[in-house]
Amino acid sequence: MLKFSFLILLISTATCEFSDFHLPNYSSAMSRAVVDYIINFYDKTSSAVNMYHNTQPENLNVNMDIMNEILHHVKTKIVVQVDSLMDFRLSNRKRINNIFFVDSFESFKIIYEEMNSSHFEYQGYYLIAVTEHGRDIYKTMADIFSDLWIKKIINVNILFMPHGNNNEAMLYTYYPYTRYYCENTAPIQLNQYQGKNWMREVDYFPRKLTNFHGCHLSVATFKNPPFMIIKQDKNGVITVNGIEGILLRELAYRLNFNVDLYVLKKLFGEIFKNGSATGAIKMIVNYEVNLTLGFFASMPLRDAFMQPSYVYFTTNLLWMVPPGKPQSALEKLANPLKYMVWTLSSMTILIGFIVIVVVKKQPHAVQKFVFGNKSQTPSINFMNLILGNSIHQVPTRNFSRYLLMLATLCFFIIRTCYSSGLVKFMQMDTREKHMMSTSQMIEENFTFYLKEASRFYVLSMPEVLKRTKLLKSQEYESKLHAMMKNPYSNAAFLTTTGHLAYRNQKVFPKFYEFAPTPLYSINIVMYMNLGSCLEAYFGEMLMKLISSGLINKWATEFIDEKYLKKPIDDVLESLSLEQLEGAFQLLIGGLLTAFIAFCFENLIGRIDIRTVKKLFGFDRKLFRNPKTLEALKV
């Protein structure tokens, strides 16, 4: 029975009843050209290629035969993933190398409508094989290219065979920018496959945007010095400057495009989780302009709906804080010496007076040994040494002279150091230390002021967010000028290192204080439409500008880091009465103390003992004691 069945199978095969069971071969130029494409391009750029097909039912066998032939000849070269429309919906992997097999524009349209940025890398590589077509193949290609340009897919070629010629295949593409037109999708022949070879050697996917040929790109931006400085002359001509203004001009020059500038009054704009947006971001999300720049920080939510460029600038977020509270006139007198020096000096003086008191209770011989023969008032002499006054009676004993020399040298050094710095500190606007960190400001119950577009910077900081107030740009500037002058203000304003240095440079010699501990660093990018074809070409040019150091050079023209350090005024000036206020206060305090002591001495001498006895009830025996009476008289 088995032998009989095998015989029937051989006979049937010989009579071509099962003609479908044959090894595929190169039956057409289409299949040979696609195989050449896969082996010489896709296999060298990737380890896998994605293949899709969609045709009318009557042309299904034609497409399947071509695909089977191709799969047979590349099965040992590269992994081929054959997908259907259902696979698009179930998988979110991005497909980079793609081949479509269609028989008409309508068949292509069905695949096209399923394409989105989640399933396809728009700047990947696409080959569209049109297996069956009418005599309007050029209109079909133009319609396909027109739809692909909407998604800004430019690395795309169309392959088809002329009618009645299975040994020849034509390869077409389109160039959106040429010297003759801009944003046009007219088909242009790239190559021709004849027999077993291409007619000439060309890039399978040529670089199409290295030169825009003077075509226009639309750019949304806004004033944001020092990064984007916009000026308009009397004739209405707008010029851009600043770090990113120069960058935009340089990109336009190197890539040869003109700029249609949209200057917005509202900075940045906002974007929400559902994709809705405002301002410049809205124009990018809705494909109203090609790109936007003006100090855009790369953020995950932004990156989800827009295409970021390479990071070309990095800066830190800082808090501008009010200056420290001003020191009083008497506090300024203590500035020349550090706390430790004051402590050690005070301990030295205290020890000196303690020694004097202890020695005065010792026998006369000991006193003469320490104070000298003629020293009757050691306490006054010690005060003269401290203040730098002369001593009228110099001790004659060696040990007492040695002590005098040590004390004179010690207090001479202290007085010299103090007096050398006193004049400088009296002229300075000395203040207490301002806030040093965000945590310290939270403890002091500071209010944090941000521009509306900067709110997302503090979304991950709940303690800061609940103390935050959002301001419009003009309101932000007015409050900043008012509160930063008030040393008693509990306000902090968010800024960046670049903006702060530029602001301080403009108001020099005034200075905006800031907390030296930054919040975190942010990366600055320009944004394009999601999946934009500009990203690769702009990114390549940005990398050249970054590696050459040009962007850093432009940054130094507008941001000078020396303005992040408070200026020190080294100009010597005559002291004013206001600067001498502390000395006058000290003098008045000393005179007042002396006057009170003088009055007290005179008052005690005139007190009647009997009156004191009646008022305080002192014991009679106490006042009958001759020593007590003598003491009261003195």
Side-chain angles (χ1 to χ4, degrees):
M1 185 67 182
L2 181 62
K3 293 181 179 179
F4 181 76
S5 300
F6 182 72
L7 180 61
I8 294 175
L9 179 62
L10 289 176
I11 296 172
S12 300
T13 304
T15 59
C16 298
E17 184 176 351
F18 296 112
S19 58
D20 290 339
F21 295 95
H22 64 273
L23 289 176
N25 53 32
Y26 287 112
S27 63
S28 66
M30 170 81 70
S31 58
R32 292 194 295 271
V34 174
V35 169
D36 183 85
Y37 229 97
I38 293 173
I39 293 175
N40 293 311
F41 178 77
Y42 286 127
D43 187 38
K44 294 179 180 180
T45 60
S46 176
S47 60
V49 63
N50 301 283
M51 196 176 288
Y52 319 91
H53 70 93
N54 188 58
T55 60
Q56 302 296 327
E58 60 270 19
N59 295 323
L60 180 61
N61 289 336
V62 175
N63 271 19
M64 296 303 295
D65 282 347
I66 293 175
M67 292 175 64
N68 285 333
E69 291 175 14
I70 294 169
L71 291 172
H72 171 71
H73 289 286
V74 301
K75 61 185 178 181
T76 61
K77 303 291 185 181
I78 190 173
V79 176
V80 178
Q81 176 72 44
V82 181
D83 284 339
S84 64
L85 297 182
M86 184 61 67
D87 295 322
F88 292 173
R89 305 184 186 102
L90 298 178
S91 173
N92 285 330
R93 66 181 180 87
K94 282 203 172 187
R95 299 156 174 86
I96 299 176
N97 299 310
N98 306 282
I99 301 177
F100 296 168
F101 291 90
V102 297
D103 64 347
S104 63
F105 174 71
E106 289 72 23
S107 298
F108 164 79
K109 194 73 173 180
I110 294 174
I111 298 178
Y112 176 81
E113 289 175 352
E114 296 292 332
M115 294 174 64
N116 58 53
S117 58
S118 298
H119 301 145
F120 287 89
E121 175 58 59
Y122 286 172
Q123 299 317 307
Y125 301 97
Y126 297 81
L127 175 64
I128 301 175
V130 182
T131 55
E132 292 289 334
H133 57 82
R135 298 186 181 277
D136 57 349
I137 181 62
Y138 290 98
K139 182 178 185 307
T140 299
M141 289 192 295
D143 291 341
I144 291 174
F145 287 145
S146 179
D147 278 0
L148 291 172
W149 175 242
I150 294 175
K151 296 183 184 294
K152 298 299 183 287
I153 298 174
I154 61 173
N155 296 321
V156 56
N157 297 328
I158 293 180
L159 184 71
F160 69 94
M161 292 187 299
H163 274 292
N165 188 353
N166 288 341
N167 200 39
E168 187 177 63
M170 312 296 291
L171 187 67
Y172 276 75
T173 189
Y174 78 99
Y175 291 83
Y177 300 100
T178 70
R179 68 180 67 180
Y180 305 109
Y181 52 74
C182 299
E183 297 196 42
N184 191 293
T185 57
I188 297 176
Q189 184 174 347
L190 181 63
N191 209 341
Q192 181 177 350
Y193 193 86
Q194 198 166 28
K196 296 183 178 180
N197 297 294
W198 295 100
M199 295 295 291
R200 59 183 183 275
E201 291 186 5
V202 296
D203 290 335
Y204 287 99
F205 293 99
R207 293 168 56 78
K208 299 177 179 179
L209 301 183
T210 55
N211 189 340
F212 285 81
H213 300 281
C215 293
H216 289 249
L217 295 181
S218 52
V219 179
T221 189
F222 37 81
K223 291 182 180 180
N224 191 4
F227 295 91
M228 182 61 71
I229 301 173
I230 301 174
K231 294 182 180 179
Q232 186 173 4
D233 62 16
K234 296 179 180 178
N235 299 322
V237 178
I238 297 175
T239 57
V240 293
N241 203 359
I243 301 171
E244 291 181 285
I246 297 176
L247 174 61
L248 179 61
R249 296 204 314 259
E250 189 67 19
L251 290 174
Y253 170 75
R254 293 184 178 230
L255 294 173
N256 190 21
F257 64 85
N258 290 306
V259 177
D260 289 337
L261 203 64
Y262 292 83
V263 181
L264 309 180
K265 293 183 178 180
K266 188 173 183 179
L267 302 183
F268 303 106
E270 292 188 70
I271 190 166
F272 306 96
K273 292 183 178 180
N274 61 358
S276 60
T278 61
I281 296 178
K282 178 184 178 182
M283 299 184 76
I284 290 292
V285 172
N286 294 343
Y287 292 82
E288 297 175 21
V289 293
N290 297 113
L291 63 99
T292 184
L293 72 169
F295 197 74
F296 276 92
S298 177
M299 303 294 289
L301 186 59
R302 288 177 174 177
D303 296 351
F305 296 96
M306 300 185 291
Q307 183 68 48
S309 70
Y310 284 126
V311 175
Y312 53 83
F313 193 80
T314 301
T315 188
N316 290 329
L317 284 174
L318 300 170
W319 292 112
M320 279 189 291
V321 295
K325 298 176 182 178
Q327 290 184 326
S328 65
L330 289 176
E331 286 176 327
K332 288 183 179 181
L333 295 180
N335 283 335
L337 299 181
K338 294 288 187 181
Y339 172 78
M340 183 57 67
V341 178
W342 279 116
T343 302
L344 294 175
S345 300
S346 301
M347 289 177 62
T348 302
I349 294 172
L350 180 61
I351 291 171
F353 279 113
I354 292 173
V355 170
I356 291 173
V357 172
V358 172
V359 172
K360 288 191 72 173
K361 295 184 179 295
Q362 303 303 316
H364 186 64
V366 176
Q367 294 185 31
K368 286 171 53 177
F369 178 73
V370 177
F371 300 145
N373 295 332
K374 300 179 179 180
S375 180
Q376 302 297 326
T377 55
S379 299
I380 295 176
N381 289 342
F382 188 60
M383 286 297 301
N384 284 332
L385 288 176
I386 295 172
L387 300 175
N389 297 330
S390 60
I391 298 176
H392 300 292
Q393 292 182 345
V394 180
T396 57
R397 301 292 295 267
N398 289 338
F399 182 71
S400 58
R401 288 193 174 198
Y402 174 72
L403 294 179
L404 175 64
M405 180 187 69
L406 287 180
T408 302
L409 184 61
C410 174
F411 293 116
F412 171 76
I413 294 173
I414 294 174
R415 286 196 313 273
T416 303
C417 295
Y418 178 80
S419 57
S420 63
L422 180 60
V423 174
K424 181 178 179 180
F425 279 99
M426 291 176 72
Q427 291 177 325
M428 291 173 57
D429 180 22
T430 51
R431 298 175 179 272
E432 297 178 4
K433 283 189 176 181
H434 52 260
M435 297 292 106
M436 303 298 288
S437 64
T438 306
S439 58
Q440 188 179 358
M441 284 181 263
I442 293 174
E443 291 175 1
E444 295 292 331
N445 199 26
F446 264 55
T447 300
F448 300 98
Y449 292 93
L450 283 71
K451 292 181 180 179
E452 291 177 340
S454 303
R455 180 178 61 88
F456 60 87
Y457 287 132
V458 297
L459 290 178
S460 59
M461 304 177 183
E463 290 297 323
V464 173
L465 189 60
K466 67 183 181 182
R467 295 175 172 83
T468 294
K469 288 189 177 180
L470 301 178
L471 303 174
K472 294 183 178 179
S473 183
Q474 294 180 347
E475 189 180 4
Y476 177 93
E477 293 296 330
S478 61
K479 280 189 174 293
L480 173 65
H481 291 310
M483 292 187 174
M484 290 297 100
K485 294 179 181 179
N486 181 8
Y488 302 98
S489 170
N490 280 4
F493 291 78
L494 188 66
T495 187
T496 67
T497 304
H499 287 96
L500 180 60
Y502 183 78
R503 189 185 293 273
N504 281 336
Q505 184 176 354
K506 291 299 182 182
V507 300
F508 183 84
K510 295 181 180 179
F511 185 80
Y512 286 99
E513 301 281 358
F514 64 96
T517 305
L519 274 74
Y520 51 85
S521 297
I522 56 174
N523 297 320
I524 307 305
V525 297
M526 63 177 65
Y527 275 110
M528 293 157 272
N529 312 120
L530 191 63
S532 173
C533 57
L534 304 178
E535 190 271 333
Y537 297 90
F538 274 59
E540 180 181 317
M541 196 59 62
L542 282 173
M543 290 303 295
K544 291 181 179 179
L545 295 174
I546 293 169
S547 59
S548 66
L550 280 174
I551 294 181
N552 285 337
K553 180 181 180 297
W554 300 332
T556 57
E557 294 178 10
F558 298 93
I559 300 174
D560 193 339
E561 292 188 357
K562 74 178 183 182
Y563 292 101
L564 294 176
K565 297 179 181 179
K566 193 168 185 177
I568 299 175
D569 190 3
D570 294 330
V571 179
L572 296 178
E573 296 180 356
S574 301
L575 291 175
S576 64
L577 290 175
E578 183 180 358
Q579 292 166 342
L580 291 172
E581 182 181 348
F584 288 132
Q585 290 179 2
L586 197 60
L587 175 62
I588 292 172
L591 292 175
L592 184 60
T593 303
F595 179 73
I596 292 173
F598 175 75
C599 294
F600 187 70
E601 287 180 354
N602 285 277
L603 183 62
I604 287 180
R606 299 183 182 184
I607 291 177
D608 186 21
I609 298 175
R610 295 176 182 176
T611 305
V612 174
K613 176 183 174 182
K614 291 179 180 180
L615 289 174
F616 297 99
F618 289 131
D619 186 37
R620 295 180 180 181
K621 293 181 180 180
L622 176 64
F623 287 95
R624 288 176 182 174
N625 190 332
K627 292 184 179 181
T628 303
L629 293 174
E630 185 65 26
L632 289 173
K633 289 179 181 179
V634 174

